[in-house]
Amino acid sequence: MCIRDSLIAHPLSSQPPEISPQPSQLIHYDGFPASLKILTIQPGAEQEQSTACCAVADVVQAWPPDKQDRPYAWRSWRFEAFVIGDPEGTEAVPPAARWRCGRCWLSDPREYNCYNDPDAVLCKTCDRGRGECGESVLVPYVGLPVDWRDKVDSNDSYKSKVAMMLCTKWPAVEIVNEIEIEIHQELSLVRERIEGVRLSD
């Protein structure tokens, strides 16, 4: 199935075709710059509130090391957040990282400059003790409440351009594999990878 053909046959205003429950393969051709990609996609898992590990007051950011290690795989990332109540199922921010004051971050108006050195015992902004301030923790994507997962899923800055296009048709789609092929390679190489797919001129 060619993504281009699918989008022509099913404009954004119409009902998109269903994705097979099994992984499906699509071909994406981008004319500028010229590139050809073979994508393996599958429907995203149904969101379940029961997987949330805690109540979340606010999500600060996607954890930068996870974004760097697994670009665009946002459902595998951890998110820095302030939680309400029991933080079971979360991880502490690594000791070598700067800690963020919860009292300042959650204040109104918000104090954004509330990072503190790892060995600081007082918040440089509110001058309160580290234990009194409350600190952010790392929450895995599946541990976020559904409303926060929806907000994460709608953040286009986490997605590749291809993922943004696919999500206009299938919001919960997941790209499980992506192979880029040099555009000057023989078409026979493409046919060897995807059986039954015929490229249009």
Side-chain angles (χ1 to χ4, degrees):
M1 178 180 182
C2 180
I3 294 178
R4 183 191 62 185
D5 294 342
S6 173
L7 294 180
I8 291 174
H10 302 277
L12 297 181
S13 60
S14 68
Q15 184 69 23
E18 293 185 2
I19 304 178
S20 167
Q22 301 300 320
S24 304
Q25 289 184 314
L26 304 177
I27 289 180
H28 174 248
Y29 172 74
D30 189 351
F32 185 79
S35 65
L36 186 67
K37 294 181 179 179
I38 298 177
L39 309 171
T40 303
I41 67 171
Q42 66 182 16
E46 184 177 350
Q47 301 283 28
E48 295 183 7
Q49 183 66 44
S50 61
T51 66
C53 63
C54 55
V56 171
D58 193 31
V59 171
V60 179
Q61 63 175 345
W63 191 235
D66 291 355
K67 291 180 64 177
Q68 182 176 355
D69 293 343
R70 300 181 298 280
Y72 305 131
W74 70 92
R75 292 188 179 101
S76 71
W77 297 345
R78 295 165 295 173
F79 292 82
E80 183 183 0
F82 290 100
V83 302
I84 303 170
D86 188 0
E88 183 180 358
T90 67
E91 302 175 35
V93 172
R98 294 184 298 173
W99 61 277
R100 194 190 305 260
C101 172
R103 183 182 290 271
C104 292
W105 181 264
L106 298 174
S107 64
D108 186 17
R110 172 167 293 164
E111 176 57 62
Y112 288 93
N113 188 28
C114 55
Y115 285 106
N116 297 280
D117 293 333
D119 56 352
V121 295
L122 298 176
C123 173
K124 65 183 179 183
T125 302
C126 68
D127 205 34
R128 290 184 170 87
R130 187 168 182 171
E132 182 184 358
C133 290
E135 300 178 43
S136 58
V137 295
L138 301 181
V139 183
Y141 170 86
V142 295
L144 294 171
V146 168
D147 58 337
W148 281 105
R149 276 178 260 166
D150 288 342
K151 291 178 182 179
V152 169
D153 286 343
S154 65
N155 190 330
D156 285 343
S157 69
Y158 295 157
K159 304 170 186 174
S160 66
K161 292 181 179 180
V162 172
M164 283 191 286
M165 179 178 64
L166 290 175
C167 285
T168 65
K169 303 293 277 183
W170 306 289
V173 70
E174 293 184 6
I175 300 176
V176 296
N177 192 32
E178 183 174 321
I179 301 172
E180 185 163 0
I181 297 177
E182 294 293 335
I183 201 65
H184 62 267
Q185 288 184 343
E186 296 294 333
L187 293 183
S188 60
L189 296 179
V190 179
R191 295 191 181 97
E192 290 176 3
R193 293 178 181 269
I194 303 287
E195 294 183 2
V197 174
R198 181 172 299 172
L199 296 177
S200 60
D201 294 334

Short mmCIF file of all heavy atoms in Angstrom, two decimals, residues 42-86:
data_model
loop_
_atom_site.label_atom_id
_atom_site.label_comp_id
_atom_site.label_asym_id
_atom_site.label_seq_id
_atom_site.Cartn_x
_atom_site.Cartn_y
_atom_site.Cartn_z
N GLN A 42 1.63 -0.15 12.76
CA GLN A 42 0.60 -0.94 13.40
C GLN A 42 -0.27 -0.01 14.23
O GLN A 42 0.16 1.09 14.59
CB GLN A 42 1.22 -2.02 14.30
CG GLN A 42 1.97 -1.48 15.51
CD GLN A 42 2.61 -2.59 16.33
OE1 GLN A 42 2.75 -3.71 15.87
NE2 GLN A 42 2.99 -2.27 17.54
N PRO A 43 -1.51 -0.41 14.52
CA PRO A 43 -2.37 0.43 15.35
C PRO A 43 -1.75 0.61 16.73
O PRO A 43 -1.14 -0.31 17.28
CB PRO A 43 -3.68 -0.35 15.43
CG PRO A 43 -3.62 -1.33 14.31
CD PRO A 43 -2.18 -1.65 14.11
N GLY A 44 -1.89 1.80 17.29
CA GLY A 44 -1.41 2.02 18.65
C GLY A 44 -2.27 1.28 19.65
O GLY A 44 -3.44 0.98 19.41
N ALA A 45 -1.68 0.96 20.78
CA ALA A 45 -2.42 0.27 21.83
C ALA A 45 -3.54 1.16 22.36
O ALA A 45 -3.38 2.38 22.47
CB ALA A 45 -1.47 -0.12 22.96
N GLU A 46 -4.67 0.56 22.67
CA GLU A 46 -5.79 1.32 23.22
C GLU A 46 -5.41 1.90 24.57
O GLU A 46 -4.84 1.21 25.43
CB GLU A 46 -7.01 0.41 23.36
CG GLU A 46 -8.26 1.14 23.83
CD GLU A 46 -9.46 0.23 23.90
OE1 GLU A 46 -9.36 -0.91 23.42
OE2 GLU A 46 -10.49 0.66 24.44
N GLN A 47 -5.72 3.18 24.75
CA GLN A 47 -5.35 3.84 26.00
C GLN A 47 -6.19 3.28 27.15
O GLN A 47 -7.42 3.20 27.08
CB GLN A 47 -5.59 5.35 25.87
CG GLN A 47 -4.81 6.00 24.75
CD GLN A 47 -3.35 6.20 25.12
OE1 GLN A 47 -2.78 5.46 25.92
NE2 GLN A 47 -2.73 7.20 24.55
N GLU A 48 -5.53 2.91 28.22
CA GLU A 48 -6.22 2.37 29.39
C GLU A 48 -5.82 3.18 30.61
O GLU A 48 -4.64 3.33 30.92
CB GLU A 48 -5.85 0.90 29.61
CG GLU A 48 -6.33 -0.02 28.50
CD GLU A 48 -6.00 -1.47 28.79
OE1 GLU A 48 -5.52 -1.74 29.91
OE2 GLU A 48 -6.24 -2.31 27.92
N GLN A 49 -6.82 3.72 31.30
CA GLN A 49 -6.56 4.50 32.51
C GLN A 49 -5.86 3.65 33.55
O GLN A 49 -5.08 4.14 34.36
CB GLN A 49 -7.87 5.06 33.07
CG GLN A 49 -7.69 5.96 34.29
CD GLN A 49 -6.95 7.24 33.97
OE1 GLN A 49 -7.24 7.88 32.97
NE2 GLN A 49 -6.00 7.62 34.80
N SER A 50 -6.12 2.33 33.53
CA SER A 50 -5.58 1.45 34.58
C SER A 50 -4.07 1.38 34.57
O SER A 50 -3.46 0.96 35.55
CB SER A 50 -6.17 0.03 34.43
OG SER A 50 -5.83 -0.52 33.17
N THR A 51 -3.42 1.76 33.45
CA THR A 51 -1.97 1.71 33.40
C THR A 51 -1.32 2.92 34.06
O THR A 51 -0.11 2.93 34.26
CB THR A 51 -1.46 1.61 31.95
OG1 THR A 51 -1.78 2.82 31.26
CG2 THR A 51 -2.08 0.43 31.23
N ALA A 52 -2.11 3.96 34.38
CA ALA A 52 -1.55 5.14 35.03
C ALA A 52 -1.02 4.76 36.41
O ALA A 52 -1.70 4.09 37.19
CB ALA A 52 -2.61 6.23 35.14
N CYS A 53 0.21 5.18 36.70
CA CYS A 53 0.82 4.80 37.97
C CYS A 53 0.60 5.85 39.04
O CYS A 53 0.85 5.59 40.22
CB CYS A 53 2.31 4.54 37.78
SG CYS A 53 3.26 5.98 37.25
N CYS A 54 0.14 7.05 38.68
CA CYS A 54 -0.02 8.10 39.67
C CYS A 54 -0.86 9.23 39.08
O CYS A 54 -1.09 9.29 37.87
CB CYS A 54 1.35 8.65 40.09
SG CYS A 54 2.34 9.22 38.70
N ALA A 55 -1.32 10.12 39.96
CA ALA A 55 -1.99 11.34 39.51
C ALA A 55 -0.91 12.38 39.22
O ALA A 55 0.08 12.49 39.95
CB ALA A 55 -2.93 11.85 40.59
N VAL A 56 -1.09 13.12 38.14
CA VAL A 56 -0.07 14.06 37.69
C VAL A 56 -0.59 15.49 37.81
O VAL A 56 -1.67 15.81 37.29
CB VAL A 56 0.35 13.76 36.23
CG1 VAL A 56 1.24 14.87 35.67
CG2 VAL A 56 1.07 12.42 36.16
N ALA A 57 0.19 16.34 38.48
CA ALA A 57 -0.17 17.75 38.58
C ALA A 57 0.26 18.51 37.34
O ALA A 57 -0.46 19.37 36.85
CB ALA A 57 0.49 18.37 39.82
N ASP A 58 1.43 18.17 36.80
CA ASP A 58 1.90 18.82 35.59
C ASP A 58 3.07 18.04 35.00
O ASP A 58 3.87 17.45 35.74
CB ASP A 58 2.35 20.25 35.88
CG ASP A 58 2.56 21.07 34.61
OD1 ASP A 58 1.85 20.81 33.62
OD2 ASP A 58 3.42 21.97 34.60
N VAL A 59 3.12 18.00 33.68
CA VAL A 59 4.26 17.41 32.97
C VAL A 59 5.15 18.55 32.50
O VAL A 59 4.70 19.47 31.82
CB VAL A 59 3.80 16.56 31.77
CG1 VAL A 59 5.00 16.14 30.92
CG2 VAL A 59 3.04 15.34 32.25
N VAL A 60 6.42 18.49 32.89
CA VAL A 60 7.36 19.56 32.57
C VAL A 60 7.92 19.38 31.17
O VAL A 60 7.92 20.30 30.35
CB VAL A 60 8.50 19.59 33.60
CG1 VAL A 60 9.51 20.68 33.26
CG2 VAL A 60 7.95 19.79 35.01
N GLN A 61 8.41 18.17 30.87
CA GLN A 61 9.07 17.93 29.59
C GLN A 61 9.27 16.45 29.37
O GLN A 61 9.23 15.65 30.32
CB GLN A 61 10.45 18.63 29.55
CG GLN A 61 11.41 18.08 30.60
CD GLN A 61 12.82 18.67 30.48
OE1 GLN A 61 13.17 19.28 29.49
NE2 GLN A 61 13.63 18.47 31.51
N ALA A 62 9.49 16.08 28.12
CA ALA A 62 9.98 14.74 27.82
C ALA A 62 11.43 14.69 28.29
O ALA A 62 12.18 15.65 28.11
CB ALA A 62 9.89 14.46 26.33
N TRP A 63 11.82 13.56 28.90
CA TRP A 63 13.16 13.47 29.47
C TRP A 63 14.20 13.51 28.34
O TRP A 63 14.19 12.65 27.45
CB TRP A 63 13.29 12.21 30.29
CG TRP A 63 14.54 12.13 31.13
CD1 TRP A 63 15.46 11.13 31.11
CD2 TRP A 63 14.97 13.06 32.11
NE1 TRP A 63 16.46 11.39 32.01
CE2 TRP A 63 16.19 12.57 32.64
CE3 TRP A 63 14.47 14.27 32.60
CZ2 TRP A 63 16.90 13.24 33.63
CZ3 TRP A 63 15.17 14.95 33.59
CH2 TRP A 63 16.36 14.44 34.09
N PRO A 64 15.07 14.53 28.31
CA PRO A 64 16.00 14.73 27.19
C PRO A 64 16.84 13.51 26.81
O PRO A 64 17.01 13.24 25.61
CB PRO A 64 16.86 15.91 27.65
CG PRO A 64 15.95 16.69 28.55
CD PRO A 64 15.15 15.65 29.28
N PRO A 65 17.42 12.75 27.76
CA PRO A 65 18.21 11.58 27.33
C PRO A 65 17.39 10.56 26.55
O PRO A 65 17.90 9.93 25.61
CB PRO A 65 18.72 10.99 28.66
CG PRO A 65 18.74 12.15 29.60
CD PRO A 65 17.54 12.97 29.22
N ASP A 66 16.12 10.38 26.91
CA ASP A 66 15.27 9.44 26.17
C ASP A 66 15.00 9.95 24.76
O ASP A 66 15.01 9.18 23.79
CB ASP A 66 13.94 9.24 26.91
CG ASP A 66 14.12 8.48 28.21
OD1 ASP A 66 15.25 8.05 28.50
OD2 ASP A 66 13.12 8.33 28.94
N LYS A 67 14.76 11.26 24.61
CA LYS A 67 14.53 11.84 23.29
C LYS A 67 15.76 11.67 22.41
O LYS A 67 15.64 11.42 21.21
CB LYS A 67 14.19 13.32 23.42
CG LYS A 67 12.84 13.60 24.06
CD LYS A 67 12.57 15.09 24.16
CE LYS A 67 12.47 15.76 22.81
NZ LYS A 67 12.14 17.20 22.92
N GLN A 68 16.93 11.82 23.02
CA GLN A 68 18.17 11.70 22.25
C GLN A 68 18.43 10.26 21.84
O GLN A 68 18.86 9.99 20.71
CB GLN A 68 19.34 12.23 23.07
CG GLN A 68 20.67 12.21 22.33
CD GLN A 68 21.79 12.84 23.15
OE1 GLN A 68 21.58 13.38 24.23
NE2 GLN A 68 23.00 12.78 22.63
N ASP A 69 18.17 9.32 22.75
CA ASP A 69 18.45 7.91 22.47
C ASP A 69 17.44 7.30 21.51
O ASP A 69 17.79 6.43 20.70
CB ASP A 69 18.45 7.10 23.77
CG ASP A 69 19.62 7.46 24.69
OD1 ASP A 69 20.59 8.08 24.20
OD2 ASP A 69 19.54 7.13 25.88
N ARG A 70 16.17 7.74 21.59
CA ARG A 70 15.11 7.14 20.77
C ARG A 70 14.27 8.24 20.12
O ARG A 70 13.12 8.47 20.52
CB ARG A 70 14.24 6.22 21.64
CG ARG A 70 15.00 5.08 22.28
CD ARG A 70 14.09 4.18 23.11
NE ARG A 70 13.48 4.87 24.22
CZ ARG A 70 14.08 5.13 25.37
NH1 ARG A 70 15.35 4.77 25.55
NH2 ARG A 70 13.44 5.76 26.36
N PRO A 71 14.85 8.94 19.14
CA PRO A 71 14.11 10.05 18.51
C PRO A 71 12.76 9.60 17.95
O PRO A 71 12.66 8.53 17.34
CB PRO A 71 15.06 10.48 17.38
CG PRO A 71 16.41 9.99 17.79
CD PRO A 71 16.17 8.71 18.54
N TYR A 72 11.75 10.38 18.20
CA TYR A 72 10.39 10.20 17.69
C TYR A 72 9.64 9.01 18.31
O TYR A 72 8.46 8.84 18.04
CB TYR A 72 10.38 10.04 16.17
CG TYR A 72 11.07 11.18 15.44
CD1 TYR A 72 12.01 10.94 14.45
CD2 TYR A 72 10.76 12.51 15.74
CE1 TYR A 72 12.64 11.99 13.78
CE2 TYR A 72 11.38 13.56 15.09
CZ TYR A 72 12.31 13.29 14.10
OH TYR A 72 12.93 14.33 13.45
N ALA A 73 10.30 8.22 19.14
CA ALA A 73 9.61 7.08 19.79
C ALA A 73 9.05 7.55 21.13
O ALA A 73 9.41 7.03 22.19
CB ALA A 73 10.58 5.91 19.96
N TRP A 74 8.15 8.52 21.08
CA TRP A 74 7.72 9.19 22.31
C TRP A 74 6.97 8.28 23.27
O TRP A 74 6.95 8.52 24.47
CB TRP A 74 6.87 10.42 21.97
CG TRP A 74 5.52 10.14 21.40
CD1 TRP A 74 4.35 10.01 22.08
CD2 TRP A 74 5.19 9.94 20.01
NE1 TRP A 74 3.31 9.75 21.20
CE2 TRP A 74 3.80 9.70 19.93
CE3 TRP A 74 5.95 9.95 18.83
CZ2 TRP A 74 3.15 9.47 18.72
CZ3 TRP A 74 5.30 9.72 17.63
CH2 TRP A 74 3.91 9.49 17.58
N ARG A 75 6.38 7.21 22.76
CA ARG A 75 5.66 6.31 23.67
C ARG A 75 6.61 5.42 24.47
O ARG A 75 6.17 4.67 25.34
CB ARG A 75 4.65 5.46 22.89
CG ARG A 75 3.50 6.29 22.31
CD ARG A 75 2.41 5.43 21.72
NE ARG A 75 1.31 6.21 21.19
CZ ARG A 75 1.13 6.49 19.90
NH1 ARG A 75 2.01 6.03 19.01
NH2 ARG A 75 0.11 7.22 19.50
N SER A 76 7.89 5.49 24.17
CA SER A 76 8.89 4.75 24.95
C SER A 76 9.66 5.66 25.91
O SER A 76 10.52 5.19 26.64
CB SER A 76 9.89 4.05 24.02
OG SER A 76 10.75 5.00 23.39
N TRP A 77 9.33 6.95 25.90
CA TRP A 77 10.06 7.91 26.73
C TRP A 77 9.51 7.98 28.15
O TRP A 77 8.38 7.58 28.43
CB TRP A 77 9.97 9.31 26.12
CG TRP A 77 10.59 9.48 24.78
CD1 TRP A 77 11.46 8.63 24.16
CD2 TRP A 77 10.36 10.56 23.87
NE1 TRP A 77 11.80 9.13 22.92
CE2 TRP A 77 11.14 10.30 22.72
CE3 TRP A 77 9.58 11.72 23.92
CZ2 TRP A 77 11.15 11.17 21.64
CZ3 TRP A 77 9.59 12.58 22.83
CH2 TRP A 77 10.37 12.31 21.72
N ARG A 78 10.33 8.55 29.01
CA ARG A 78 9.89 8.98 30.34
C ARG A 78 9.66 10.49 30.30
O ARG A 78 10.26 11.20 29.49
CB ARG A 78 10.93 8.63 31.40
CG ARG A 78 11.15 7.14 31.60
CD ARG A 78 12.42 6.87 32.37
NE ARG A 78 13.60 7.31 31.60
CZ ARG A 78 14.84 7.32 32.09
NH1 ARG A 78 15.08 6.93 33.32
NH2 ARG A 78 15.84 7.74 31.33
N PHE A 79 8.80 10.97 31.19
CA PHE A 79 8.46 12.39 31.22
C PHE A 79 8.68 12.93 32.62
O PHE A 79 8.26 12.32 33.60
CB PHE A 79 7.01 12.60 30.76
CG PHE A 79 6.81 12.28 29.31
CD1 PHE A 79 6.62 10.97 28.88
CD2 PHE A 79 6.86 13.27 28.35
CE1 PHE A 79 6.46 10.66 27.54
CE2 PHE A 79 6.71 12.98 27.00
CZ PHE A 79 6.51 11.68 26.59
N GLU A 80 9.35 14.08 32.68
CA GLU A 80 9.55 14.74 33.97
C GLU A 80 8.24 15.36 34.39
O GLU A 80 7.63 16.12 33.62
CB GLU A 80 10.64 15.80 33.86
CG GLU A 80 10.95 16.46 35.19
CD GLU A 80 11.97 17.57 35.09
OE1 GLU A 80 12.45 17.85 33.96
OE2 GLU A 80 12.28 18.18 36.13
N ALA A 81 7.79 15.05 35.57
CA ALA A 81 6.47 15.51 36.00
C ALA A 81 6.43 15.70 37.50
O ALA A 81 7.26 15.17 38.25
CB ALA A 81 5.39 14.49 35.58
N PHE A 82 5.45 16.47 37.95
CA PHE A 82 5.14 16.59 39.37
C PHE A 82 3.88 15.78 39.62
O PHE A 82 2.88 15.95 38.92
CB PHE A 82 4.93 18.05 39.76
CG PHE A 82 6.20 18.86 39.75
CD1 PHE A 82 6.50 19.68 38.68
CD2 PHE A 82 7.10 18.76 40.80
CE1 PHE A 82 7.68 20.40 38.65
CE2 PHE A 82 8.29 19.48 40.78
CZ PHE A 82 8.57 20.31 39.70
N VAL A 83 3.95 14.88 40.58
CA VAL A 83 2.84 13.97 40.83
C VAL A 83 2.17 14.31 42.15
O VAL A 83 2.73 14.99 43.01
CB VAL A 83 3.31 12.50 40.83
CG1 VAL A 83 3.96 12.15 39.50
CG2 VAL A 83 4.27 12.22 41.98
N ILE A 84 0.94 13.83 42.26
CA ILE A 84 0.14 14.05 43.47
C ILE A 84 0.04 12.73 44.21
O ILE A 84 -0.39 11.72 43.65
CB ILE A 84 -1.26 14.56 43.11
CG1 ILE A 84 -1.16 15.86 42.29
CG2 ILE A 84 -2.10 14.79 44.36
CD1 ILE A 84 -2.49 16.29 41.69
N GLY A 85 0.41 12.72 45.48
CA GLY A 85 0.29 11.52 46.28
C GLY A 85 1.44 10.54 46.06
O GLY A 85 2.58 10.93 45.81
N ASP A 86 1.11 9.26 46.11
CA ASP A 86 2.10 8.19 46.05
C ASP A 86 2.80 8.16 44.70
O ASP A 86 2.15 8.00 43.67
CB ASP A 86 1.40 6.86 46.32
CG ASP A 86 2.40 5.71 46.47
OD1 ASP A 86 3.62 5.95 46.36
OD2 ASP A 86 1.94 4.57 46.70
#
